[in-house]
Amino acid sequence: PLFSPTGMGMIAIPREDAQDRMMQWVCSVNLVSALLLSGVAGSALAPLDVAAMDPADATLGNVFNAVTAANLAITTCNTLFTVYVMMSLTGETQSSVLRVVASSGCLILYEVSTMFVSVLLLVMCAIQMWLRCTGWFREGIVCIIAIIFMVFTYHFNFLVLTRMFPVSGIHWSKFTFGFVSRGMMEAAQRQSVSKIMEAGAVHGEEVVRAAIEGLPELSPD
């Protein structure tokens, strides 16, 4: 099953805070999606006229239009459906919100999509630079975009997540690189034990045991 890294991390949240935390989470995804939507909408609604382009660049032009259309579709759906999630969340009570938190893993689609469409936006930028620049600037600018993305991705996965949020790091590292470092795994196990103990103190051991029953064990595989 797919579990949201953020959703799993909310196991120890007190009942009275759960609704606000969930709302903050969904609002963050909605805001990022809306900003990306505003950035890509112009290019998607005014695509490149491939027929008027140099035949040597026609393939890249078609790829740009396809990537742009996919980006617009994903960001539109992400923005729209996270709004519906927020609207539904406002109707939950303190008695029912824990069920929502326990089931929040299904929101991973919206969470992961924000990263995916950000990558697509960088691809769009790289294609535009390639089409509009000349000489070594073509390769140079594309390489700069790729290097900046890899540096930030490495820093986030192996420094920020490993040291600050190792439980979330397990999911993002598997998704991004296909493996989890031993240091991150050990840190996640320590943090998970601490959170489960805290959740037991907040909600009661029986409630926690029922909530985590059947969850997969932490494993680098």
Side-chain angles (χ1 to χ4, degrees):
L2 294 176
F3 293 96
S4 166
T6 308
M8 290 185 69
M10 292 196 291
I11 186 174
I13 293 178
R15 186 188 299 268
E16 60 271 16
D17 296 336
Q19 191 166 11
D20 289 340
R21 299 282 187 90
M22 280 291 299
M23 185 65 76
Q24 290 171 8
W25 173 24
V26 180
C27 281
S28 297
V29 175
N30 177 265
L31 176 61
V32 172
S33 299
L35 290 172
L36 290 168
L37 173 60
S38 65
V40 75
S43 297
L45 297 177
L48 296 179
D49 184 1
V50 179
M53 296 174 62
D54 188 311
D57 295 328
T59 299
L60 271 181
N62 284 322
V63 170
F64 177 85
N65 287 341
V67 170
T68 303
N71 206 339
L72 179 70
I74 295 172
T75 52
T76 298
C77 291
N78 234 29
T79 303
L80 178 65
F81 289 107
T82 49
V83 167
Y84 293 155
V85 172
M86 288 188 289
M87 293 169 62
S88 299
L89 189 57
T90 58
E92 298 297 327
T93 65
Q94 286 193 11
S95 300
S96 62
V97 74
L98 289 182
R99 176 191 55 80
V100 175
V101 172
S103 304
S104 61
C106 59
L107 298 180
I108 190 173
L109 174 64
Y110 308 131
E111 195 171 9
V112 172
S113 292
T114 57
M115 177 182 176
F116 183 67
V117 296
S118 298
V119 173
L120 290 183
L121 189 61
L122 293 178
V123 172
M124 291 169 54
C125 178
I127 293 175
Q128 282 281 30
M129 294 301 104
W130 183 273
L131 292 174
R132 297 180 182 276
C133 295
T134 59
W136 66 269
F137 281 97
R138 279 184 163 189
E139 295 85 355
I141 293 177
V142 172
C143 288
I144 288 173
I145 293 173
I147 290 171
I148 290 174
F149 175 75
M150 287 188 293
V151 168
F152 273 84
T153 301
Y154 179 88
H155 176 268
F156 179 71
N157 278 275
F158 294 103
L159 294 178
V160 175
L161 291 180
T162 299
R163 298 180 181 182
M164 300 176 66
F165 313 107
V167 175
S168 294
I170 290 176
H171 298 265
W172 291 121
S173 291
K174 283 185 177 180
F175 177 79
T176 307
F177 298 101
F179 70 93
V180 179
S181 67
R182 181 174 298 275
M184 180 182 290
M185 180 61 62
E186 292 174 350
Q189 289 173 335
R190 291 193 297 269
Q191 189 179 79
S192 294
V193 171
S194 175
K195 284 192 173 184
I196 290 174
M197 293 176 62
E198 185 176 355
V202 172
H203 305 299
E205 293 184 5
E206 292 299 325
V207 173
V208 174
R209 186 178 297 110
I212 67 176
E213 184 179 5
L215 290 182
E217 295 183 0
L218 294 175
S219 170
D221 300 326

